[in-house]
């Protein structure tokens, strides 16, 4: 059902996102007007107006800005998210994080500082289901 509310950010990716596929490497600054799904690696700064999904095994080096984000891969650099940032259990972050709300799965590794702009506490959770 298209009208069914979706709880997870990963369930909200638009039907036509931009992809950087597994095994691919992109070097340079990336601007994306919609959603972006990364399975490979990116070296450069990114500005994603929609939702960003960094899959398990992906890597991003550089400054990253997005409307919403789900990170299951590795990021080396700062991440700034306008709304919700979700870090999956496989996430590895070296740098600063800033978002309106942040949810961190047990197992995620963060080497840096976190700032929640809404003033609400960081949510900690255990993943109970896969990406299906």
């Amino acid at each position: 059902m298209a009208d069914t509310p979706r709880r997870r950010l990963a369930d909200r990716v638009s039907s036509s996102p931009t992809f950087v596929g597994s095994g691919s490497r992109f070097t340079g600054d990336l601007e994306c007007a919609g959603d972006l799904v990364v399975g490979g690696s990116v070296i450069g700064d990114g500005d994603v107006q929609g939702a960003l999904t960094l899959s398990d095994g992906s890597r991003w080096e550089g400054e990253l800005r997005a409307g919403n984000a789900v990170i299951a891969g590795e990021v080396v650099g700062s991440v700034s998210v306008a709304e919700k940032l979700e870090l999956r259990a496989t996430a590895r972050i070296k740098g600063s994080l800033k978002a309106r709300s942040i949810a961190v799965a047990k197992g995620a590794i963060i080497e840096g500082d976190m700032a929640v702009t809404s003033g609400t506490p960081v949510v900690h959770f255990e993943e109970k289901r896969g990406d299906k």
Side-chain angles (χ1 to χ4, degrees):
M1 289 169 101
D3 294 333
T4 303
R6 296 180 176 152
R7 297 179 318 143
R8 295 175 18 168
L9 282 175
D11 295 337
R12 297 183 200 161
V13 174
S14 70
S15 61
S16 59
T18 300
F19 286 94
V20 176
S22 179
S24 299
R25 183 176 70 211
F26 180 89
T27 303
D29 294 342
L30 180 62
E31 293 182 21
C32 187
D35 297 341
L36 175 65
V37 177
V38 177
S41 70
V42 176
I43 299 173
D45 295 341
D47 193 356
V48 180
Q49 297 300 309
L52 168 71
T53 302
L54 289 180
S55 302
D56 186 9
S58 67
R59 180 177 169 86
W60 190 293
E61 291 183 47
E63 186 175 323
L64 189 49
R65 292 170 300 283
N68 289 290
V70 176
I71 299 176
E74 181 179 2
V75 176
V76 178
S78 64
V79 178
S80 180
V81 176
E83 294 298 324
K84 183 175 181 179
L85 170 61
E86 180 180 317
L87 300 177
R88 308 300 282 285
T90 55
R92 305 291 178 261
I93 312 295
K94 288 184 181 179
S96 62
L97 301 173
K98 181 172 86 170
R100 181 164 165 62
S101 67
I102 299 176
V104 180
K106 182 177 181 181
I109 297 174
I110 303 163
E111 295 179 28
D113 58 286
M114 283 192 292
V116 179
T117 60
S118 67
T120 60
V122 172
V123 175
H124 297 277
F125 67 98
E126 283 193 49
E127 291 183 311
K128 298 200 188 291
R129 64 179 181 166
D131 287 326
K132 295 180 181 180

